């Protein structure tokens, strides 16, 4: 064996060890990050999944014709529907006479129950005069009991439900009048002071509308800017360089600054209504645009120049070259960049606080100009509330947000798969 | 050809002032005339006072060591240098007596008349048909689908590729072999019916068999087009070209009939290069 080979061989084992060590570092890093991700998701799901179920109570309500005729929305708005529900609760538990206990009895059902009754009467006006079994939302404490958050074995002074209340609930359960059902209210309602009535419809729609505005604006604007800067703008020009530097800087600007900008420009100057998805979307567009531009430029840069030469060489104009050959090849990368920007915008809270999307809004927005909140803002608001029901809903809203994000990413992946040229 | 400027330099240094090209660079009926062409990349001068005529239906080979400026010169002929940042072209280049660097000359039109085939085969990531049809489509050369089909077929036949691909015109062009891809690029170029075809080392990425096919093709294309080919292979230059121009460090050293250049080079630098002393 000659000298060179000896030297090489002596170092070989060390080199191999190094390589193996490095591979293990990589595996450990991936494992740790996956473990944290799994931990995060399981903890959120574990805390939040119960919010998708809601306790409902079956009560037998006598639809008193005296109170309910004529069954028009105007009349029912003034009718004492709560009284009818109270009456049926008293009939179910005739032994309750004490005033305090009566009040506790009435709290078994949610304050939304009269509205459910109203909706029922409006849907079935022919049933007036009969006694019907109506499933209504249970009160927050009943929901907690049903979901097992209240331990009947605990001393009575330390739990939210008194012994007699638990006795009522056990009786209702034995009669099959207390069940967990899929919580459509969580998906259909706006925000509420009562946890059992609070839903994410307003926040979901707000986020959806904002994403539509953001995508509709930032994608074409970003791509157009990137194409101009990358393909047409003169190189080594002071102004172009200045613009480039500023775009890169904008991508790093804290998001709350964009909120201030949106407040000053869109609300203050243009006079657009505050708390609306339009203003939110515009503000998030400002925030997303630099990311989209930078990613799109990188995608354009990655297109091999030989394609450009080929097109130019047979007499395509520069615009034809870009739109026929370069852009289709860069599109998947551009989409990825846009989705990264959109995902960031979807999870953004700070700029939305500045433009008033933190308001308490009950009615779902019907257009871009109706007040709304956004999912992350709703999460932030609920996370502030101490009630158990809101804690649960916070996690549930996070699940919805993550699903939203997942669907958005999935759409992007599918779109990219379609656009990507496999040859 | 006409009068021959014979001028043997006492010193072979091309940087010496008052350098003049050996051999007759003029032609009686030129297609392209280049006079006093200087090219700069930023501050660096890449070509020094090039004078050369390119004739009708001839193959002229540009040879020379790496970095001698032959590709730069080639790109001057269809203004592909325009897209290179900081590149500046001085002098007078005329195609059929039209100044191609004139303000009113549209580079798009010029490149339709002076097509180009590149070193690496660069088909579009589309079907074979779309590759060839792209040029006629953007220039509006075909009135309908039948005409377009005809142009595609003729171009592929002239490029000697028709038999191999006629049953799979809708297949991706990138699925072809390197030699086929390069012939497809040639078909794509001649589909717009140019007057001149520039070829920048078209065989350097190909194996000898594909190279031979392309060389044979170049010989056939000569009957219709003027071909300017840059090559590193002197055998190739000798096989395909009628005239040869030898470049060295940005200067055109010698030009003449290929047979004469290879059998009887007059400039010592040319002699050194073709005898393989450097390059």
């Amino acid at each position: 064996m000659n000298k060179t080979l000896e030297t090489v061989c002596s170092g070989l084992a060390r080199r191999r060890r190094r390589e193996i060590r490095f591979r293990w570092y990589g595996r450990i890093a991936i494992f740790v990050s996956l473990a944290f991700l799994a931990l995060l998701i399981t903890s959120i799901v574990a805390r939040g999944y119960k919010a998708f179920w809601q306790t409902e109570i079956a009560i037998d309500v006598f639809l008193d014709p005296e109170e309910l005729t004529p069954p028009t929305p105007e009349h029912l708005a003034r009718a004492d529907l709560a009284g009818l529900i109270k009456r049926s609760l008293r009939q179910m538990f005739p032994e309750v006479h004490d005033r305090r206990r009566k009040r506790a009895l009435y709290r078994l059902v949610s304050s939304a129950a009269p509205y459910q009754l109203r909706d029922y009467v409006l849907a079935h006006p022919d049933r007036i005069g009969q006694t019907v079994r109506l499933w209504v939302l249970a009160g927050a404490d009943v929901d907690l009991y049903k979901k097992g958050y209240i331990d009947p074995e605990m001393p009575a002074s330390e739990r939210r439900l008194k012994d007699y209340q638990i006795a009522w609930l056990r009786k209702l359960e034995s009669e099959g009048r207390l069940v967990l059902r899929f919580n459509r209210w969580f998906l259909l309602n706006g925000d509420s002071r009562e946890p059992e009535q609070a839903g994410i419809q307003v926040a979901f729609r707000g986020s959806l509308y904002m994403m539509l505005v953001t995508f509709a604006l930032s994608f074409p604007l970003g791509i157009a800017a990137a194409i101009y800067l990358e393909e047409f703008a003169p190189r080594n020009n002071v102004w172009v360089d200045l613009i480039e530097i500023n775009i890169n800087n904008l991508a790093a600007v804290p998001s709350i600054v964009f909120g201030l900008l949106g407040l000053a420009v869109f609300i203050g100057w243009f006079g657009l209504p505050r708390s609306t998805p339009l203003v939110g979307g515009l503000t998030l567009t400002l925030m997303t645009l630099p990311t989209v531009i930078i990613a799109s430029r990188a995608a354009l840069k990655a297109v091999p120049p030989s394609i450009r030469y080929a097109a130019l060489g047979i007499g395509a104009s520069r615009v034809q070259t870009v739109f026929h050959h370069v852009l289709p090849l860069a599109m998947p990368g551009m989409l990825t960049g846009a989705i990264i920007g959109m995902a960031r915008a979807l999870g953004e809270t700070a700029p939305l606080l500045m433009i008033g999307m933190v308001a308490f809004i009950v009615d779902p927005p019907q257009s871009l100009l109706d007040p709304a909140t956004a999912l992350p803002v709703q999460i932030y608001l609920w996370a502030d509330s101490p009630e158990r029901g809101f804690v649960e809903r916070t996690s549930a809203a996070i699940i919805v947000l993550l699903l939203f994000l997942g669907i958005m990413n999935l759409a992007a992946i599918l779109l990219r798969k379609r656009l990507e040229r496999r040859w | 050809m006409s009068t021959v400027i014979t001028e043997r330099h006492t010193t072979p240094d091309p940087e010496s002032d008052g350098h003049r090209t050996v051999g007759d660079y003029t032609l009686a009926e030129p297609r392209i005339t280049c006079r006093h062409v200087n090219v700069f990349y930023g501050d660096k001068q890449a070509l020094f006072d090039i004078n050369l005529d390119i004739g009708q239906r001839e193959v002229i080979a540009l040879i020379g060591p790496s970095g001698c400026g032959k590709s730069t010169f080639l790109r001057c002929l269809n203004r592909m240098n325009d897209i290179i940042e900081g590149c500046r072209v001085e002098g007078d280049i005329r195609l059929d007596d039209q100044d191609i660097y004139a303000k009113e000359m549209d580079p798009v039109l010029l490149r339709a008349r002076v097509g180009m085939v590149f070193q690496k085969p660069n088909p579009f990531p589309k079907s074979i048909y779309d590759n060839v049809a792209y040029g006629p489509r953007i220039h509006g050369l075909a009135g309908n689908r039948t005409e377009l089909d005809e142009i595609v077929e003729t171009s592929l036949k002239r490029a000697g590729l028709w038999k191999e691909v006629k049953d799979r015109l809708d297949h991706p062009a990138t699925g072809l072999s390197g030699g086929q891809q390069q012939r497809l690029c040639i078909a794509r170029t001649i589909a717009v019916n140019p007057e001149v075809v520039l070829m920048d080392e078209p065989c350097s990425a190909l194996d000898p068999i594909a190279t031979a096919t392309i060389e044979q093709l170049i010989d056939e294309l000569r009957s219709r087009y003027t071909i300017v080919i840059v090559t590193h292979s002197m055998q190739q230059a000798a096989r395909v070209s009628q005239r040869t121009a030898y470049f060295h460090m940005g200067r055109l050293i010698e030009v003449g009939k290929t047979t004469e250049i290879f059998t009887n080079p007059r400039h010592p630098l040319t002699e050194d290069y073709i005898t393989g002393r450097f390059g």
Side-chain angles (χ1 to χ4, degrees), chain A residues 233-236 306-318 320-321 324-325 328-329 421 423, chain B residues 80 83 85 108 111-112 114-116 118 122-127 134-135 138-139 172 174 188-189 192:
Chain A
R235 295 283 144 100
N236 305 322
S306 66
I307 294 292
R308 293 185 182 88
Y309 296 154
L312 290 170
I314 50 175
S317 68
R318 285 171 82 174
Q320 284 172 329
T321 305
H324 295 168
H325 301 289
L329 289 175
R421 281 150 203 274
W423 54 47
Chain B
M80 283 297 271
I83 54 172
E85 214 58 45
V108 168
R111 289 179 199 141
V114 184
M116 188 156 188
F118 296 85
N122 54 356
F124 300 126
K126 298 175 190 282
S127 71
Y134 182 69
I138 58 169
H139 295 300
T174 39
R188 184 175 66 187
T189 304
V192 289

Side-chain angles (χ1 to χ4, degrees), chain B residues 72-256:
Chain B
T72 300
F73 177 71
L74 193 73
R75 285 198 302 267
C76 288
L77 301 179
N78 67 344
R79 289 183 61 175
M80 283 297 271
N81 279 333
D82 286 15
I83 54 172
I84 294 171
E85 214 58 45
C87 182
R88 188 158 51 86
V89 179
E90 285 175 1
D92 186 53
I93 303 178
R94 287 171 183 277
L95 170 66
D96 295 336
D97 221 30
Q98 266 181 298
D99 182 2
I100 66 166
Y101 281 87
K103 275 219 168 59
E104 59 275 12
M105 173 57 88
D106 187 349
V108 168
L109 176 65
L110 174 69
R111 289 179 199 141
R113 292 170 64 188
V114 184
M116 188 156 188
V117 176
F118 296 85
Q119 184 170 357
K120 221 176 123 235
N122 54 356
F124 300 126
K126 298 175 190 282
S127 71
I128 294 170
Y129 184 93
D130 285 339
N131 262 278
V132 184
Y134 182 69
R137 270 190 189 133
I138 58 169
H139 295 300
L141 298 182
N144 53 45
R145 180 77 192 198
T146 331
E147 281 179 43
L148 192 60
D149 287 347
E150 257 169 50
I151 294 177
V152 170
E153 184 176 337
T154 321
S155 308
L156 284 170
K157 273 181 179 159
R158 282 188 194 157
L161 196 60
W162 178 249
K163 278 186 193 142
E164 291 157 66
V165 300
K166 66 170 188 279
D167 299 323
R168 44 172 178 152
L169 289 174
D170 54 339
H171 284 223
T174 39
L176 298 172
S177 74
Q180 287 173 325
Q181 285 188 16
Q182 194 62 297
R183 274 182 286 153
L184 179 68
C185 291
I186 293 173
R188 184 175 66 187
T189 304
I190 59 183
V192 289
N193 208 12
E195 296 158 31
V196 182
V197 178
L198 310 177
M199 297 186 174
D200 192 354
E201 296 179 40
C203 302
S204 65
L206 305 181
D207 66 78
I209 293 168
T211 302
T213 317
I214 300 242
E215 283 176 5
Q216 199 189 339
L217 171 63
I218 291 170
D219 209 44
E220 287 161 16
L221 291 174
R222 180 161 63 98
S223 61
R224 295 173 186 277
Y225 313 102
T226 297
I227 294 170
V228 186
I229 178 170
V230 165
T231 177
H232 266 301
S233 152
M234 278 168 288
Q235 290 85 344
Q236 185 171 68
R239 282 192 296 261
V240 301
S241 70
Q242 287 76 56
R243 282 166 80 227
T244 297
Y246 173 67
F247 283 73
H248 187 94
M249 295 184 78
R251 286 178 167 80
L252 178 55
I253 302 297
E254 184 169 348
V255 60

Side-chain angles (χ1 to χ4, degrees), chain A residues 126-170:
Chain A
D126 51 307
R127 304 263 168 90
I128 290 173
Q130 303 172 9
T131 299
V132 295
R133 174 167 280 208
L134 191 64
W135 286 95
V136 294
L137 271 176
D141 290 341
V142 177
D143 191 44
L144 293 184
Y145 167 80
K146 184 70 184 167
K147 284 175 182 168
Y149 292 123
I150 291 174
D151 182 7
E153 307 302 318
M154 265 166 54
S157 58
E158 285 174 27
R159 53 178 141 84
R160 294 180 64 92
L161 291 176
K162 300 275 186 298
D163 288 337
Y164 57 84
Q165 285 170 304
I166 289 178
W168 295 339
L169 292 174
R170 286 200 170 136

Side-chain angles (χ1 to χ4, degrees), chain A residues 42-60:
Chain A
T42 37
S43 77
I44 288 171
V45 170
R47 235 184 285 166
Y49 79 97
K50 279 186 175 164
F52 291 99
W53 277 265
Q54 179 72 36
T55 315
E56 292 187 18
I57 294 181
I59 52 173
D60 298 321

Side-chain angles (χ1 to χ4, degrees), chain A residues 81-285:
Chain A
L81 299 172
L84 290 181
I85 288 177
K86 283 175 187 169
R87 202 196 294 172
S88 55
L89 282 169
R90 281 199 304 273
Q91 279 164 3
M92 283 160 74
F93 297 98
E95 71 279 9
V96 181
H97 294 295
D98 178 2
R99 269 189 67 185
R100 187 191 275 180
R101 291 202 178 191
K102 267 188 190 165
R103 219 180 298 137
L105 182 65
Y106 301 154
R107 273 209 303 274
L108 286 182
V109 299
S110 162
S111 58
Y115 301 107
Q116 288 179 286
L117 177 58
R118 180 196 60 192
D119 293 343
Y120 182 84
V121 173
L122 286 175
H124 310 280
D126 51 307
R127 304 263 168 90
I128 290 173
Q130 303 172 9
T131 299
V132 295
R133 174 167 280 208
L134 191 64
W135 286 95
V136 294
L137 271 176
D141 290 341
V142 177
D143 191 44
L144 293 184
Y145 167 80
K146 184 70 184 167
K147 284 175 182 168
Y149 292 123
I150 291 174
D151 182 7
E153 307 302 318
M154 265 166 54
S157 58
E158 285 174 27
R159 53 178 141 84
R160 294 180 64 92
L161 291 176
K162 300 275 186 298
D163 288 337
Y164 57 84
Q165 285 170 304
I166 289 178
W168 295 339
L169 292 174
R170 286 200 170 136
K171 182 172 172 245
L172 285 172
E173 263 184 319
S174 66
E175 292 171 9
R177 286 168 178 270
L178 194 68
V179 294
L180 274 174
R181 291 194 166 176
F182 179 70
N183 187 1
R184 57 189 191 283
W185 312 110
F186 179 67
L187 300 178
L188 294 175
N189 280 2
D191 202 1
S192 172
R193 298 272 177 243
E194 307 296 331
E196 78 275 6
Q197 297 170 40
I200 51 153
Q201 177 72 206
V202 172
F204 183 82
R205 282 214 203 167
S207 276
L208 183 68
Y209 291 166
M210 280 197 307
M211 284 303 104
L212 291 178
V213 171
T214 307
F215 188 76
L217 288 175
S218 67
F219 195 56
L221 280 178
I223 286 183
I227 289 176
Y228 181 77
L229 286 173
E230 198 57 41
E231 304 284 334
F232 295 102
R235 295 283 144 100
N236 305 322
N237 177 307
V238 181
W239 294 107
V240 176
D241 288 349
L242 206 66
I243 289 170
E244 268 176 38
I245 290 167
N246 278 307
I247 287 172
N248 291 338
N249 283 342
L250 275 180
V253 165
S255 55
I256 194 146
V257 177
F258 286 106
L260 280 168
L261 183 70
L263 176 65
V265 175
F266 299 127
I267 295 174
W269 201 346
F270 294 163
L272 294 173
R274 50 187 303 151
S275 309
T276 55
L278 178 65
V279 175
L282 287 169
T283 308
L284 292 179
T285 301

